[in-house]
């Protein structure tokens, strides 16, 4: 029998195999399957305590990584300072720029910090900061702090207090009734501010 004749037999619509041949082929197929299909690996059942231990460890690792990532993000954007738990900080910078008596120009970005800041209040304060004219804001505060400075109360400390007071007052214009923290309230709390500055001599 040549290849052509074999093709004719295989493609023949009405061809019937001898029952003995069919049985032999079936046995060959079954035998081949047993020896060629790899057995399914047995699954090792872990005790419940071990499973929960693995889950807890993995969860803790994720939380630590997430915490580290949040801190890294905070340190990578102005004012380049981390936030303690429970605090929220505005993302729009308030320019606090001034020139010292010696001619050193100081450029600062201030950010207000809150506790319990809801989304609606956050939207209001961010909008206020971005639309307010802050020109002269820093210079006025610096000039006042410099005039009131004493050996025991430096210009820097007075300026920091003045900025905090001014930002609290301005926040009150946007969020009437806001309190300066720490305070026992369920409302929004003004917690202070943070700044990043750079100085350049003229």
């Amino acid at each position: 029998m040549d290849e052509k004749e074999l093709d004719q037999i295989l493609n023949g619509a009405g061809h019937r195999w001898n029952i003995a041949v069919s049985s032999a082929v079936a046995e060959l197929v079954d035998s081949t399957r047993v020896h060629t299909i790899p057995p399914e690996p047995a699954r090792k059942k872990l005790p419940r305590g071990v499973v929960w231990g693995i889950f807890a460890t993995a969860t803790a690792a994720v939380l630590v990584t997430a915490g580290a990532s949040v801190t890294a993000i905070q340190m990578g954007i102005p004012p380049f300072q981390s936030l303690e738990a429970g605090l929220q900080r505005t993302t729009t910078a308030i320019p606090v720029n001034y020139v010292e008596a010696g001619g050193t120009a100081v450029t600062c970005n201030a950010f207000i910090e809150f506790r319990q800041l809801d989304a609606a209040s956050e939207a209001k304060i961010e909008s206020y900061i971005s639309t307010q004219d802050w020109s002269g804001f820093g210079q006025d505060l610096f000039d006042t702090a410099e005039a009131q400075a004493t050996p025991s109360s430096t210009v820097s400390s007075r300026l920091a207090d003045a900025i905090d007071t001014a930002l609290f007052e301005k926040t009150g214009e946007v969020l009437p009734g806001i309190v300066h923290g720490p305070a026992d309230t369920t409302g929004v709390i003004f917690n202070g501010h943070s700044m990043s500055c750079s100085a350049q001599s003229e």
Side-chain angles (χ1 to χ4, degrees), residues 21-161:
V21 174
S22 298
S23 298
V25 170
E27 290 177 7
L28 178 61
V29 170
D30 290 340
S31 175
T32 303
R33 179 184 295 116
V34 169
H35 291 90
T36 57
I37 298 178
E40 183 178 352
R43 295 185 178 181
K44 186 175 181 180
K45 189 173 181 181
L46 296 175
R48 181 179 294 271
V50 174
V51 174
W52 278 109
I54 294 173
F55 175 77
T57 302
T59 303
V62 170
L63 290 176
V64 168
T65 302
S69 299
V70 169
T71 300
I73 291 171
Q74 292 169 349
M75 296 298 287
I77 59 176
F80 311 108
Q81 301 170 24
S82 60
L83 273 171
E84 65 180 77
L87 284 183
Q88 297 110 302
R89 178 186 290 148
T90 56
T91 57
T92 306
I94 299 169
V96 182
N97 306 325
Y98 56 90
V99 179
E100 297 176 340
T104 300
V106 181
T107 301
C108 299
N109 285 325
F111 301 83
I112 307 174
E113 297 179 352
F114 298 91
R115 290 188 185 276
Q116 302 167 179
L117 183 66
D118 57 89
S121 298
E122 181 180 12
K124 289 179 181 179
I125 195 67
E126 291 282 359
S127 176
Y128 174 81
I129 294 172
S130 62
T131 56
Q132 181 79 356
D133 181 7
W134 298 98
S135 57
F137 176 70
Q139 191 65 55
D140 290 343
L141 294 176
F142 175 79
D143 291 344
T144 301
E146 189 176 43
Q148 297 175 347
T150 65
S152 60
S153 181
T154 64
V155 176
S156 297
S157 63
R158 282 191 172 271
L159 180 59
D161 291 341

Side-chain angles (χ1 to χ4, degrees), residues 1-9:
M1 178 185 297
D2 57 21
E3 292 182 2
K4 183 175 180 181
E5 291 174 327
L6 178 60
D7 288 341
Q8 288 175 348
I9 292 174

